[in-house]
Amino acid sequence: MEFDLVAVQDAISVSAELRKRWRKDWVDLMELAVWGDLRSQQIGLGGKLRKRVLEYGERLRSYVSDRSWIPHPREQIKNALSTSLQLREVIEKVGELMGQFAEGEDLARLQLFWQDFSDRLMADITEREGKLVQLLNQQYHEEV
């Protein structure tokens, strides 16, 4: 049986509104990571955070990107799951780095902003992954 193309599109597509909001949130996060007053006893922690936030932006961009160029729905689903996993991993890494800062005028604001942003994104990831896995499972059960 073929995939339900409407269900596939729903599962792999991120609305323009969400994409715009997450892009703005990422820019705000990057501004805090680069220009915020954050301090730690650990040398180089600020640079590590900035690199991870940049990687986060790259993974977020992949997560929301259009997959219509991928010819087969199964491959679109697998690509979406892969980018989702990569985004999950970098969210965890950024969160670990955030916890290593000890002080700074912008630290509390950064941590609250990060918690809200990452929680909203993880809710979307969890819901989207559920849809994607369900689509793949339906396909595999019908093939067996």
Side-chain angles (χ1 to χ4, degrees), residues 3-21:
F3 281 101
D4 176 354
L5 297 180
V6 173
V8 171
Q9 275 307 112
D10 177 57
I12 67 171
S13 299
V14 175
S15 73
E17 180 182 312
L18 262 182
R19 192 172 24 247
K20 183 178 179 181
R21 180 173 183 191

Side-chain angles (χ1 to χ4, degrees), residues 37-42 45-46 96-108 110-111:
D37 178 28
L38 309 170
R39 291 181 233 133
S40 170
Q41 298 293 331
Q42 211 175 334
L45 190 60
E96 288 172 5
L97 284 172
M98 294 268 183
Q100 295 177 26
F101 284 92
E103 56 187 288
E105 286 183 31
D106 295 314
L107 180 59
L110 174 65
Q111 289 173 333

Side-chain angles (χ1 to χ4, degrees), residues 7-8 13 16 29 80 86 100 105 111 118 120 136 139 142:
V8 171
S13 299
L29 177 64
Q86 292 170 2
Q100 295 177 26
E105 286 183 31
Q111 289 173 333
S118 62
R120 284 184 287 114
L136 282 177
Q139 183 73 27
E142 291 170 2

